Amino acid sequence: MAVTEPELHSHAGRVQTVTRAYPADKAQRLAAALAARIAGEVRFDDGSRALYATDGSNYRQVPIGVVIPKAVEDVIATVRICRDFAAPLLSRGGGTSLAGQCCNTAVVMDFSKYLHNVVSIDSAARSALVEPGCVLDFLRDAAERYHLTFGPDPATHDHNTLGGMIGNNSCGPHSVMAGRTSDNVEALEILTYDGERFWVGATSEEELGQIIAAGGRRGEIYRQLRDLRDRYADDIRRGYPQIPRRVSGYNLPYLLPERGCNIAQALVGSEGTCVVILQARLRLVHSPTHRVLVVLGFEDIYHAGDQVPQILEHRPIALEGLDDRLIYSLDQQGRLSRDRQLLPQGHGWLLAEIGEDDADTARQRAEALIAAAKSWPGYVDAVCLVAQEQQARVWKIRESGLAVTAFPPGQPDTLEGWEDSAVPPDRVGPYLRDFRKTLDRFGYNGSLYGHFGDGCIHTRIDFDLQTESGIQHYRRFVGAMADLVEKYGGSFSGEHGDGQSRAELLPKMFSPRLMQAMREFKAIWDPQWKMNPGKLVDPYPITSNLRFGTDFRPSEPATFYAYPEDHGSFVHAAKRCVGVGECRRHGGTVMCPSYMATWEEKHSTRGRARMLFEMLHGGPLTDGWKSEHVRDALDLCLACKGCKRDCPVGVDMATYKSEFMAHHYAGRLRPPPQYAMGLIHYWSRLAAKAPGLANYLTHGAGVSRIAKFLGGISQQRELPPYAAHTFKEWFQVRPAAEAGKPLILFADTFNNHFRPEIGKAAVEVLEWAGYRPMVPQQALCCARPMYDIGMLKSAKRLLRAVMDTLEPYVQQGIPVVGLEPACVASFRDELPKLFPHDPRARRLADHTFLFSEFLEKQADFEPPKLQRKAVLHAHCHHYAIIGTDTETHLLSRMELDF
């Protein structure tokens, strides 16, 4: 299939972006040339192209292909070959960009898998050398050993890359302390599209002359930059907003001699439209040893904004704001409720972080700030948080802003599109009031929060980008907001860059001469106009290439699950991922184990969600539920449900995978391991009739290799042996308890057939606690192994049998207690979604408890004091669906050191 690529035509001194077809045969030759000459990975298949078709923005452009370089030599070769084939090029890091600059019809180079190292840290010089795919927190963790840090720290700090931060000129809460990324870049090693590789940085006038005199392509670039600077110097000095968060446009002020003619800093924020970054030398700043967080509550967010100048006088190292609409969304979704209790009274809040190397000094400064705030208009309340754990919980609220407001309950979904404008910090309050008036005038809603100390305001707004009238209304709104920001002397982008989302508006912010200077700046570096074309300057129109545009009209498929969180729509579920990329973290949470192991985008929750979206979109994936590309992306999903809890927008990939697999294998034979593991309930019932024979087949020399092969189990693994007698057999012949409150003890497949001693111990504890366990003898199973592989028709048969058997007990109010977290989770999660109209499903879900949960929440007894040591390894479904609070509380009551 042919793909489109930008074609550029010069007209009256202006380059206009249109599109033309990039021939499929040419793309194939390009892929072959790349595969023959680089050690990295070359992926021009439809699945990979679909995977990289979008970023965190409203935009979608299917790339020509994807290259994942393993070394700098791969990057150099890729650029050379792309030049030979006249192919556009796009550098990509974490793929979280919100303005569309990280997707294009180009060859995408993903630096994040291999070129992600901290090369070195010079603690004496307070600098670090990093590769472009290096995650920000990799650097921050390494630098903290020297009490240093990289100042800019966006909310995505644990998974965004420094190359992406340099491309977008990212900031974050602590830019109050350290400035933007451009203020913290010392030098860059760069590669131009025409193959020149050299370092750039601060350049004295003498050095500038020497480089120009040396000639060559580098000398020519420097000569052109000097001439551009001299020709437009006065325009640059007059025409750029003098505010902390001016991110829009190219950084031409850094070319001025009074700014040190720093070519590296001038390239920061160029969004991959000029050069490829190979390495970066970054400035590190001192990281205060002690931090105190002051949270101030105000009558509303506007009064909070009014007080920004007064708080800045107290020299905070971060100053953030958030409104009550964000907190209302938190409350409605039941998220971070424990953390939300740390906020003081009010309807608008400011978070001011005080940093010092002395704890008492930090505390005294924080108390002085609170004392001063009590006399400010609109002040309501304040708290001073000293404990790092409490501070982290409040910061989590702030960092969750984008995700929490994406799907506000009972309201339309919200989108980016005007999410990071910036104004002078002393005008935040008035700007917020005018911002809200403009939203009201256009009939939009959105929460207001952000980096108030630098005047940067974040929001997501309920734009309609799927109908022609909605798209035109959106375009008029961003035009009106651009006029408003220009009136305040602000910047359309204060953090996320221009990309395609705001670039068309830049002539409102910059004079015609400055816009011409920016075009010339790009042309100096990229005369062929092949580096991420159509972004930042001479861009695609704001309303083109929309991911959810008028051409996105997929039919709603019939599904097995009900998707109550998505209005009963699988299409909406496939759209749920907003691209923030928290599933690309490398530890700290359950999500996403397969990405942590592989560093592969397609094995992240985001990658899988995007593949499902592309499946519905219909191009380049055209085979729907039968898509092998989608199946391959879902293959390593462990269905651990970590994303259901850890994903900030609640992407439930385990359910989506289950749905897909049910349709994918409908009417087809499955791989043998799916029958082996999916039907383990039936195999175990059969094995119970002759456990000795079953154990011979799974453990006998030679024959066990066949069993493991058929079961899809590694030969290095030891299969658990079947018990000589099942738990149910033991329970049936033991003397029945004569007294105690009745309960149902659910005998799951594993504990019944493999570990009956666990069931026996549970009976002993429950009877000791004053209960009379009953164990149904029917062959019941929660169907857990069937969900993950999509055997949903069979799963529903098993679940109906469970409901038929347990409903009489549940109706009497008799609780059901499970020993296996996955079984309890299936009753809580899958059961109501598979039977949304059967009231028995909801009743069973509400009356089922995990063993520890029952003892802690329902049982009236005092546990024994063990005073021993133990290790607690929570089941992934335990963590994701049930939560471990009751477990930890119960073990603490038992005085167990765990």
Side-chain angles (χ1 to χ4, degrees), residues 633-688:
L634 292 168
D635 187 47
L636 291 189
C637 172
L638 305 181
C640 68
K641 294 183 178 289
C643 53
K644 186 175 177 70
R645 174 161 178 170
D646 293 339
C647 173
V649 295
V651 168
D652 183 3
M653 191 50 61
T655 297
Y656 308 164
K657 175 186 178 181
S658 179
E659 185 77 59
F660 174 84
M661 297 290 271
H663 294 274
H664 185 73
Y665 286 108
R668 298 199 291 177
L669 287 174
R670 295 169 174 269
Q674 293 194 16
Y675 294 106
M677 303 308 295
L679 303 180
I680 192 171
H681 167 66
Y682 298 105
W683 301 130
S684 297
R685 288 176 62 192
L686 185 63

Side-chain angles (χ1 to χ4, degrees), residues 27 64 134 159 206 251 336 353 367 383 387 392 452-453 455 472 527-528 587 595 605 610 674 691 693 765 791 823 858:
I64 299 169
C134 179
H159 58 280
E206 179 182 2
N251 273 316
L336 304 177
E353 186 176 67
E367 291 172 349
V383 296
F452 284 19
Q472 294 307 315
Q528 298 183 62
Y595 176 77
T605 303
R610 291 298 165 77
Q674 293 194 16
L693 176 60
V765 171
M791 288 184 170
C823 291
Q858 302 292 317

Side-chain angles (χ1 to χ4, degrees), residues 399 459 463 481 548 603 624 831 895:
E399 291 176 356
T459 187
F463 299 124
M481 284 302 302
F548 306 129
H603 295 312
L831 180 64
E895 299 182 3

Side-chain angles (χ1 to χ4, degrees), residues 406-427:
F407 303 103
Q411 301 177 44
D413 299 346
T414 64
L415 299 167
E416 56 275 0
W418 195 261
E419 73 283 345
D420 70 323
S421 54
V423 297
D426 60 357
R427 306 196 72 187

Side-chain angles (χ1 to χ4, degrees), residues 512-542:
R513 278 183 56 81
L514 280 179
M515 291 305 303
Q516 181 59 28
M518 291 183 196
R519 292 185 194 98
E520 293 179 21
F521 183 78
K522 174 176 171 60
I524 289 170
W525 297 102
D526 179 28
Q528 298 183 62
W529 220 265
K530 293 295 184 182
M531 300 293 291
N532 203 12
K535 312 293 178 172
L536 204 152
V537 293
D538 296 310
Y540 294 103
I542 288 175

Side-chain angles (χ1 to χ4, degrees), residues 293-298 320-328 330-331 335-352 380-385 390-398 400:
L293 185 63
V294 175
V295 186
L296 300 168
F298 293 87
E320 302 290 290
L322 49 110
D323 70 1
D324 53 354
R325 299 190 186 207
L326 189 156
I327 300 304
Y328 177 76
L330 273 178
D331 292 341
R335 300 182 57 207
L336 304 177
S337 55
R338 176 169 164 263
D339 306 332
R340 186 254 187 275
Q341 300 306 314
L342 293 172
L343 297 181
Q345 297 297 310
H347 295 282
W349 295 268
L350 291 176
L351 283 56
V380 175
D381 193 12
V383 296
C384 179
L385 302 177
Q390 289 184 327
Q391 293 183 44
R393 284 161 53 192
V394 171
W395 278 119
K396 186 64 178 177
I397 293 175
R398 166 59 191 88
S400 70

